Amino acid sequence: MPLPTTVAAAGPAGHATPWLACAVPQGRLPPSLSALDAQTGGALTRLYESGDFQGKKDEASLLHPPGPAARILLVGLGKPEEGGRSQVRRAAAIAARRARTAGVGEGAFFLAPEGRGGLSWREAGQVVAEGLAFGAWQYTELKQPPEEPKPELARLMMLAPEETAEVERGHAVGAAIGAGQSLARGLQVLPGNLCTPSFLAARAEELASRYGFGLTVLDRAAIRREGMGALLAVAQGSAEEPRFIVLEYKGGGAAPPVALVGKGITFDTGGISIKPAERMEDMKYDMSGAAAVLGTFEMLGRLRPAVNVVGLVPSCENMPGGTALKPGDVIRTHQGKTVEIVNTDAEGRLILADALSYAARFKPVCALDAATLTGAIVVALGHAAAGLMGTDAALLDEVRRAAERAGEKVWPLPLWDEYRDQIKSEIADLKNSGGRPAGALTAGCFLREFAVGFPWAHLDIAGTAYSERDDPSRAKGPVGMGVRIFAEFVLGRAAAQQ
Ligand code: BES
Ligand code: MN
Ligand code: ZN
């Protein structure tokens, strides 16, 4: 369950709460906190005067002052001129994370208006809600509860003494996106023995019945009848049943849908071209693209924007069983092109190929995919940004702008013919790996062969889907990458259709 958050038309002073977090810009104590300062007997002034807190980005100071707020956490937003959506979202995440670890049952969050930068009240409400949901997220269900459990953080309230209705409007959007991102993270975090393709299909079914989405789930026999030879080929080395999941949200009348495609490998051993043991456990995250698609549908169900969206999730395990695909095998894809398998660890592009060619039947206005596709993207962009590739300059620009609003970084990469040449095969129409050089781009070129008949953009999220270290705003582990980009993109489309 995502953390419930609400908006209240109240200021930070006089608010009785076990926990009050205030996000402030770098510099002096902002005037909007003067009344609170007076109520605490000048505790905030003393904190500033001591030099212990300046409001730098990510800086946080906790006080136990006199007055109706038992604890006050000041969180720095950094320099006002650098302020923006990301900084506010991040400060809210830090506040929520600290509230959760402090063991308070509830709390309040106040964004000092001096730190709002160029954001509208509505935007501020949205990104605060996103940040609170992000920071509060945790997963403890597979551990024994502690003997003396701390109280669970049950709700957070956003204080908005000014323009409360506008803040509330933004908050509703941000809370829905936050719930979608939490759903995605909850799927990502699960190990491969629990989060199987059938498990993902069951979660899609829950979403469909809760929100009234159309749903089609293909099992192994139906995948075979559909002619999805590439998905079937990857799935054939595992005893675990594959699934092909189709979710349909209709909010946009007769308009053609946006197609969202997510890689759903619930565990990637590499298959016969097996991966080294070191950190192989992280390959439970190889369904992060699928999680992003399902998370986006959670948002769609809550907000019901005026747009049509179809979600496509090809899902299976990549295992080296006795019936597994072998290097040298040639398979036939759903679209008809044949592929020589030179590396069974390049499996994501195979299952996505069938999903992209299946997408054509919806005559989508465009298709976006998210996939933990290549180690090469981690070499190129590290853990800072997803690789963005595709076929249509206007669409790529639209995705880039959505990503900017979302605060999930992407960076464009080219799909030149030189890279296409690397995946020519002597025996088949294509081979599934172009070797080490430009590995993220040859993978993109491979996908492009199957994204025919609609503008298409691809996000390689292998370096950004999960975090290997803790930082103040986010715990180590799954981050739900892609949900906010997908959400901003489809909400942008809905706004344009109005
Ligand atoms: N799932 C991996 C990519 C990956 C790497 C995800 C690191 C997350 C973190 C993908 O299926 C894969 O194995 N790709 C190969 C392709 C190669 C064999 C052409 C890779 O990148 O090594
Ligand atoms: Mn692989
Ligand atoms: Zn993979």
Side-chain angles (χ1 to χ4, degrees), residues 111 266 314 333 403:
L111 171 64
T266 56
T333 61

Side-chain angles (χ1 to χ4, degrees), residues 21-362:
C22 301
V24 297
Q26 194 169 328
R28 316 185 131 272
L29 178 69
S32 64
L33 294 188
S34 300
L36 182 66
D37 184 42
Q39 194 176 77
T40 61
L44 302 183
T45 298
R46 285 194 297 282
L47 174 68
Y48 272 83
E49 280 175 354
S50 71
D52 289 348
F53 180 83
Q54 285 133 37
K56 288 187 182 149
K57 182 174 166 235
D58 293 358
E59 196 185 352
S61 271
L62 183 65
L63 300 108
H64 290 73
R71 295 182 182 81
I72 295 179
L73 182 80
L74 292 190
V75 185
L77 290 161
K79 299 202 178 97
E81 62 274 18
E82 287 164 19
R85 297 172 66 110
S86 291
Q87 241 134 308
V88 173
R89 191 188 285 110
R90 204 179 158 93
I94 292 173
R97 194 166 178 214
R98 292 281 296 256
R100 183 173 57 63
T101 52
V104 293
E106 60 175 52
F109 178 86
F110 177 67
L111 171 64
E114 297 86 346
R116 195 161 51 92
L119 303 190
S120 67
W121 288 104
R122 191 187 292 210
E123 275 183 297
Q126 180 187 336
V127 297
V128 167
E130 289 174 8
L132 293 179
F134 194 84
W137 184 85
Q138 66 170 345
Y139 184 79
T140 54
E141 269 150 62
L142 293 176
K143 281 189 179 176
Q144 229 42 257
E147 281 184 14
E148 286 168 43
K150 288 189 191 167
E152 282 267 321
L153 182 62
R155 65 187 156 271
L156 283 173
M157 181 181 284
M158 183 182 174
L159 303 179
E162 291 175 73
E163 298 282 353
T164 312
E166 272 300 286
V167 172
E168 174 62 65
R169 256 178 226 117
H171 171 272
V173 173
I177 295 175
Q181 196 161 20
S182 298
L183 180 127
R185 295 169 89 184
L187 293 173
Q188 286 183 282
V189 76
L190 293 177
N193 63 323
L194 302 179
C195 183
T196 59
S198 348
F199 181 88
L200 286 179
R203 298 292 77 74
E205 214 173 291
E206 271 175 15
L207 285 168
S209 62
R210 183 166 338 125
Y211 296 119
F213 302 139
L215 176 73
T216 310
V217 177
L218 309 185
D219 61 7
R220 202 188 292 265
I223 291 167
R224 185 174 292 117
R225 280 197 300 277
E226 189 55 54
M228 294 181 163
L231 175 56
L232 214 50
V234 178
Q236 80 190 32
S238 173
E240 199 59 61
E241 272 273 311
R243 290 288 183 267
F244 187 80
I245 305 165
V246 185
L247 273 170
E248 288 175 81
Y249 165 71
K250 294 203 174 78
V258 170
L260 301 177
V261 183
K263 172 177 173 181
I265 295 290
T266 56
F267 195 80
D268 182 11
T269 67
I272 296 299
S273 315
I274 198 160
K275 288 181 182 294
E278 176 90 14
R279 297 228 61 89
M280 200 207 272
E281 67 272 25
D282 284 350
M283 286 303 120
K284 71 174 184 179
Y285 292 126
D286 216 16
M287 37 56 72
S288 296
V293 172
L294 296 180
T296 304
F297 273 78
E298 174 72 41
M299 178 284 295
L300 289 170
R302 286 173 181 243
L303 289 182
R304 310 207 69 82
V307 59
N308 292 329
V309 184
V310 44
L312 302 167
V313 172
S315 181
C316 67
E317 280 185 341
N318 187 22
M319 292 285 282
T323 56
L325 190 63
K326 302 174 293 297
D329 287 359
V330 174
I331 58 142
R332 184 177 300 276
T333 61
H334 179 257
Q335 189 203 55
K337 288 190 180 110
T338 57
V339 179
E340 177 192 7
I341 307 302
V342 296
N343 190 325
T344 64
D345 199 10
E347 85 298 340
R349 65 198 74 185
L350 295 172
I351 70 168
L352 288 170
D354 280 357
L356 287 168
S357 91
Y358 186 93
R361 78 178 50 188
F362 296 96

